[in-house]
Amino acid sequence: MITNITLTTKEKFLLEDSKSHEEQCIKKYSNYTSLASDDQLKAVFRSNGQKEQEHLETINQLLTGKIPSMNNMGGGSQQQTQQQSQQQSQQTGSSNFSTSDKDLCMDMLTTEKYISGAYDTAIFEFRDAQIRDILNHIQKEEQKHGEAIFMYMESKGMYQAK
Ligand SMILES: [Fe+2]
Ligand SMILES: [Fe+2]
């Protein structure tokens, strides 16, 4: 079921911001999937990028005043792919990695962190509880993207947590 709502100027402005963040993210993941030299990293980037595409579609729906149902917002199949690639990389456990792959990871971590923060701020401005839930759901997925990249980096010895 789809509910129609009228957005305030501020809400529209925030959603336009999210829209451009998601578009930027899709572009980066697509470019970085090509640039990455490790197939495991390509898989992580590709899987995250697919989620960003779903986010963009959700934001576009909200911008037209429609609230998509939470049930239609994608399942866990991509999450499974992520977990699989994480397990694979944990098994390999080597610390041979390309410096440019590390740079791509660092850049995407920063991007995800920024976007997650932007959602966190935006959520407080929305009057509608359903929209808050949807944005919260998206934000949680941004954190998962960061987590997938972090796990990959750690398994490759790129990231020394102190
Ligand atoms: Fe996203
Ligand atoms: Fe993300």
Side-chain angles (χ1 to χ4, degrees):
M1 199 190 75
I2 286 175
T3 322
N4 281 289
I5 44 122
T6 312
L7 298 163
T8 64
T9 310
K10 191 169 191 179
E11 287 168 341
K12 251 183 232 164
F13 177 77
L14 287 164
L15 287 175
E16 289 290 352
D17 256 9
S18 298
K19 181 181 172 163
S20 91
H21 293 157
E22 295 295 351
E23 285 170 344
Q24 190 64 33
C25 231
I26 290 167
K27 216 180 280 177
K28 276 195 181 191
Y29 274 128
S30 158
N31 290 339
Y32 290 7
T33 301
S34 315
L35 286 172
S37 54
D38 182 15
D39 284 342
Q40 279 170 25
L41 184 57
K42 284 178 189 286
V44 172
F45 284 164
R46 196 175 297 121
S47 159
N48 283 2
Q50 279 161 1
K51 279 283 171 196
E52 310 301 6
Q53 189 63 51
E54 289 175 22
H55 294 169
L56 178 62
E57 281 156 26
T58 303
I59 299 294
N60 278 333
Q61 263 197 296
L62 289 173
L63 273 166
T64 63
K66 291 187 173 61
I67 302 181
S69 131
M70 290 281 281
N71 305 330
N72 296 339
M73 294 205 325
S77 61
Q78 276 151 17
Q79 227 165 0
Q80 259 173 2
T81 319
Q82 267 177 18
Q83 275 161 4
Q84 276 163 11
S85 65
Q86 274 165 24
Q87 275 163 7
Q88 278 165 13
S89 52
Q90 270 152 16
Q91 280 156 13
T92 337
S94 73
S95 57
N96 290 333
F97 56 84
S98 98
T99 325
S100 73
D101 275 5
K102 183 183 175 179
D103 290 339
L104 298 179
C105 287
M106 290 303 285
D107 183 61
M108 280 325 296
L109 260 189
T110 309
T111 303
E112 291 288 0
K113 198 169 170 181
Y114 173 81
I115 292 177
S116 176
Y119 275 113
D120 190 47
T121 308
I123 286 166
F124 284 86
E125 306 293 339
F126 282 83
R127 299 158 305 162
D128 185 280
Q130 273 178 285
I131 298 187
R132 283 173 176 243
D133 282 348
I134 289 169
L135 296 179
N136 188 260
H137 174 89
I138 293 179
Q139 191 201 9
K140 212 173 282 173
E141 291 189 338
E142 308 301 9
Q143 285 174 14
K144 285 284 168 197
H145 297 164
E147 187 182 296
I149 296 167
F150 171 81
M151 300 286 275
Y152 171 84
M153 291 181 79
E154 208 181 29
S155 76
K156 293 289 168 186
M158 288 178 181
Y159 208 107
Q160 259 82 45
K162 280 171 195 144

